[in-house]
Every structure is written in C-alpha cells, then in structure tokens.
Amino acid sequence: MIYIEKNSLNTFALTLTESATITAPVWLFKFVWEMDESLDPVYWVGVDYSSYPDRYNLFYLTEGDDATFKLGQYRYEIYESPVPIIVDPNTNANGLDLVEEGRMVVEGISNSIYD
C-alpha cells in the first residue's frame, strides 16, 4: 500500500523490477479515486531512485506538484514502458504491460472544499 500526504514530498518503495519484462523500464502510474471512479484517472511517470533496483524501486512524489490528489482511497496500476512517456490529457496505458496493482491512501489537510 502507498501512503501519500497532501502538499508534501512523499517517499515510497515498491518491488516492480521483479515483475518487469523489459530492462530499465519507464514506470507509468495510474491512480483511480474510489469515491468517484467516473473521474479521469491521475497519471504520473515515476522515476526510480533506487541504488538497488533489483531489490526495490524507490520513488519520490511531491503531492500538489508532481500529481494532485483528492483525499481518500485510490486503486493504482503500474505499467512498464520501453520508451519515455510524457503525461498529458491523452495519456493512457493502452499497449503497455501491467506490472503491479494495489491501493493508495491520501491523507492530510486539503486546500479544496471539494475533497
């Protein structure tokens, strides 16, 4: 499970390389808010900062800068890509291999009355 604090630098480790089918993939994260799954998912390209990627993958995500989330619970899916990905309104995971899925919780104080 991933825990994210609003408006903060968050560090989390996952074991993605053990399930990867390509060498040195680009990791595309897809987050779906469970309170309203009809909303567009949040996509984020995670850079692996691990010194030991065969053992674990280390990610830093600054909530509010790298990606913005509503408070609550999310489902996540992580895909591997052999080529760089630029996240834009047309981003999707079509044609990419799913490596891991799980849950994420976003906690903290929100700057929005809509969270």
Side-chain angles (χ1 to χ4, degrees):
M1 181 170 286
I2 299 173
Y3 291 95
I4 297 293
E5 184 75 26
K6 293 271 305 165
N7 304 307
S8 299
L9 171 62
N10 296 274
T11 305
F12 57 95
L14 302 168
T15 54
L16 303 177
T17 302
E18 66 185 17
S19 301
T21 60
I22 57 178
T23 304
V26 173
W27 303 111
L28 178 64
F29 289 69
K30 175 184 176 182
F31 302 99
V32 177
W33 192 43
E34 291 186 338
M35 290 296 292
D36 187 353
E37 294 187 12
S38 69
L39 294 176
D40 289 338
V42 175
Y43 287 98
W44 175 67
V45 174
V47 176
D48 183 5
Y49 289 96
S50 174
S51 298
Y52 308 97
D54 290 334
R55 181 120 171 99
Y56 66 93
N57 306 98
L58 184 65
F59 298 96
Y60 299 105
L61 185 150
T62 302
E63 197 286 331
D65 289 339
D66 298 329
T68 302
F69 300 103
K70 295 179 176 289
L71 295 175
Q73 297 182 15
Y74 288 75
R75 284 183 298 105
Y76 71 81
E77 298 171 351
I78 304 170
Y79 298 86
E80 62 180 352
S81 173
V83 297
I85 297 171
I86 307 250
V87 174
D88 63 26
N90 298 316
T91 299
N92 62 56
N94 293 344
L96 300 178
D97 290 331
L98 178 64
V99 175
E100 180 172 304
E101 50 191 340
R103 299 193 49 137
M104 179 177 79
V105 173
V106 178
E107 298 179 328
I109 298 172
S110 173
N111 294 329
S112 170
I113 61 171
Y114 299 106
D115 279 343

